[in-house]
Amino acid sequence: MNVHLTTLILLLTWGPALLGQDSAVFPYGAVPESKPDMPLSKAMDRVYEGTYKGVDCFRNELFSNFKYTPLKGFDYNGGDGTVSRRDSTKVIRANGKYYVWYTHRQTPTPPNYDGGANETIPSRDWDLAEIWYATSADGFTWEEQGVAVSRMEKPHAGWRSVSTPDILFWRGKYYLYYQAYLNMPGSRTSNATNGDDCPVSVSWSDSPDGPWTPSNKIVVQNGPPGSWDQYVIHDPYPIVFNGKIYLYYKGEMGGKPPVRAQGLAIAEDPLGPFKKHPLNPVINSGHETSLFPFKTGLAALVSRHGLEHNTIQYSPDGVNFEVAAITGLMPIAPGAFVPDAFLDNKDGRGITWGLCHFRNIKRAEGKSHSMLARFDCDLSLDVHDLEMKESDIFNDPEINFKFGLSKAQRERIEKAILKVK
Ligand code: AAL
């Protein structure tokens, strides 16, 4: 046996002992791609046996941080709360430009959250709203085109408000799904959610520029009494998968605050019938829905609420999701540019940008509106932007101090100090 091989065997056998250790030690350097053949802690075992899509943030294709840019082209009446834009759809590309649709509210006053709403005063930021749209050449500067879907005529769902749209392109036609209110958001306080009750309806067009024909049909119904989604079917989000229309949505269960989870309803025709999946809810956390094809499955941005908030998740079948990455400072109501949302080609390439919103701006002064913004990320198999893979975000201290203790918390702490002997 040659001397090198002998030396190697001796080192592997006696190395640890010579180093004063009684077992192999985890190696120095970049985390090994393959699992070391040695006893591992649960934490290190999870690196290899867990559901993460990489052994560290820089090599995890489904990890990214998020960068934000203000948009040009939208006027908010100086932030007086009378104009609001929020809950934008996926961004799509057609006719050589980008298109996006969103909740547009223009009312004589800001919303009155405290029972003072009526036929002209909104009860919520998305009450008495319409679906408007805008186009852009670059995704940073937008040209507002005006209304796409107006409120419906009574008694049709959506007569009070239509909001929170998303877009489907299917067999040559465009479909806009939206929350279709049959009563004032927040008015049914009898239930444990915040009364933001509604089903989902749809309008269609031969062109992204309209005109849009309302179906005047509820295509995703509220669940039966006592079911998790009996009151709230929010954030309809269609994607083409397995040859069908997979429409994800948010439901709000009871509890204060209500638990938000996401369900799936599947149809073979854009106008339904949509059949809810028996395993609903399929995502146990989050708020607004945002998914995209990734490799042969689907990935989901899961933000804001729940045990698994601030995660990016992956599902091979569109039903069973697992945490692929943990992140932070996620976009609210992300509407990503998803070039392959309707291709169903089992080669999902991922996303790099989209629109989102910042909400309840200036609510403290009795004014409340939301504004659209752009987010960028690297959740793409075709981009490798290491700046987007940095997990350690340095915020200006003032940003953190803005999330200071409430008056009640400070009083609680000071009271506790007095008790210290
Ligand atoms: C949004 C969405 C739905 C809710 C409200 C407007 O973030 O979840 O649309 O109804 O908030």
Side-chain angles (χ1 to χ4, degrees):
M1 194 185 298
N2 73 34
V3 69
H4 297 299
L5 186 56
T6 312
T7 313
L8 179 65
I9 288 169
L10 281 171
L11 268 178
L12 285 175
T13 312
W14 294 100
L18 293 174
L19 291 169
Q21 287 145 342
D22 54 6
S23 66
V25 289
F26 199 84
Y28 175 79
V31 176
E33 280 288 347
S34 50
K35 186 176 181 179
D37 177 18
M38 58 182 285
L40 292 176
S41 67
K42 267 198 180 297
M44 291 315 291
D45 188 61
R46 225 176 7 255
V47 170
Y48 298 97
E49 304 303 334
T51 57
Y52 304 126
K53 294 296 173 202
V55 293
D56 62 30
C57 287
F58 289 88
R59 284 176 278 178
N60 184 343
E61 290 289 5
L62 281 180
F63 171 78
S64 181
N65 62 41
F66 296 88
K67 311 260 179 164
Y68 297 92
T69 309
L71 298 177
K72 292 192 177 114
F74 295 114
D75 176 56
Y76 291 92
N77 275 4
D80 67 0
T82 60
V83 175
S84 190
R85 297 177 182 86
R86 57 180 288 157
D87 293 306
S88 57
T89 65
K90 293 187 281 294
V91 174
I92 67 168
R93 193 156 177 80
N95 308 326
K97 52 193 168 183
Y98 297 111
Y99 282 77
V100 74
W101 293 261
Y102 44 89
T103 303
H104 180 282
R105 173 179 61 76
Q106 185 137 14
T107 48
T109 69
N112 181 308
Y113 286 76
D114 309 316
N118 58 29
E119 295 314 302
T120 56
I121 298 175
S123 64
R124 296 290 185 276
D125 190 23
W126 54 94
D127 187 20
L128 299 175
E130 298 176 314
I131 312 291
W132 282 37
Y133 79 112
T135 57
S136 174
D138 62 5
F140 290 98
T141 300
W142 290 82
E143 188 182 341
E144 188 155 67
Q145 300 299 331
V147 64
V149 178
S150 305
R151 289 162 55 190
M152 301 302 141
E153 295 297 322
K154 275 188 176 179
H156 297 299
W159 69 265
R160 173 72 195 186
S161 191
V162 286
S163 80
T164 323
D166 214 284
I167 187 80
L168 166 73
F169 181 67
W170 174 270
R171 294 180 185 164
K173 284 188 182 306
Y174 296 85
Y175 297 83
L176 273 175
Y177 295 86
Y178 41 84
Q179 294 172 194
Y181 285 88
L182 283 156
N183 46 54
M184 182 194 288
S187 58
R188 190 157 48 158
T189 52
S190 58
N191 64 66
T193 68
N194 56 12
D196 186 3
D197 306 351
C198 66
V200 163
S201 186
V202 61
S203 296
W204 74 84
S205 175
D206 292 320
S207 158
D209 294 294
W212 295 87
T213 304
S215 64
N216 282 325
K217 188 181 168 195
I218 294 175
V219 288
V220 185
Q221 290 278 6
N222 297 89
S227 61
W228 74 286
D229 60 355
Q230 66 177 333
Y231 294 119
V232 159
I233 308 285
H234 284 174
D235 302 279
Y237 190 96
I239 203 158
V240 181
F241 191 61
N242 293 339
K244 296 179 180 177
I245 299 154
Y246 276 46
L247 188 144
Y248 294 88
Y249 63 93
K250 176 189 85 183
E252 280 189 8
M253 301 188 228
K256 284 232 186 256
V259 171
R260 279 90 175 184
Q262 299 184 1
L264 167 63
I266 301 173
E268 297 185 18
D269 182 290
L271 302 186
F274 279 90
K275 187 173 181 320
K276 291 181 181 178
H277 199 280
L279 291 182
N280 277 347
V282 293
I283 293 180
N284 64 32
S285 298
H287 195 107
E288 299 85 4
T289 44
S290 178
L291 298 97
F292 53 92
F294 190 78
K295 295 187 179 174
T296 58
L298 296 180
L301 301 181
V302 182
S303 64
R304 295 184 61 193
H305 301 289
L307 290 171
E308 295 178 350
H309 73 286
N310 281 353
T311 60
I312 300 164
Q313 303 202 7
Y314 177 77
S315 168
D317 59 9
V319 175
N320 296 291
F321 286 82
E322 292 183 314
V323 174
I326 299 164
T327 182
L329 215 60
M330 290 187 83
I332 293 178
F337 172 48
V338 190
D340 48 17
F342 315 125
L343 300 184
D344 193 19
N345 61 9
K346 299 295 183 218
D347 180 24
R349 305 305 301 170
I351 59 169
T352 57
W353 69 277
L355 300 194
C356 59
H357 73 231
F358 293 104
R359 63 201 163 85
N360 294 0
I361 301 168
K362 296 192 182 180
R363 186 174 174 184
E365 302 148 31
K367 295 181 173 62
S368 173
H369 75 289
S370 303
M371 61 180 282
L372 297 175
R374 173 179 166 130
F375 73 86
D376 282 88
C377 63
D378 175 5
L379 293 171
S380 168
L381 295 171
D382 302 321
V383 168
H384 299 286
D385 179 342
L386 290 185
E387 284 185 72
M388 290 292 188
K389 300 293 184 183
E390 178 54 68
S391 60
D392 193 12
I393 307 296
F394 284 93
N395 280 332
D396 179 301
E398 286 312 311
I399 293 178
N400 292 291
F401 293 145
K402 269 187 178 293
F403 293 96
L405 292 169
S406 67
K407 187 167 172 295
Q409 288 175 311
R410 186 65 185 254
E411 285 168 359
R412 170 181 58 76
I413 291 164
E414 287 174 353
K415 203 179 285 180
I417 292 168
L418 294 177
K419 287 181 185 160
V420 175
K421 299 278 181 273

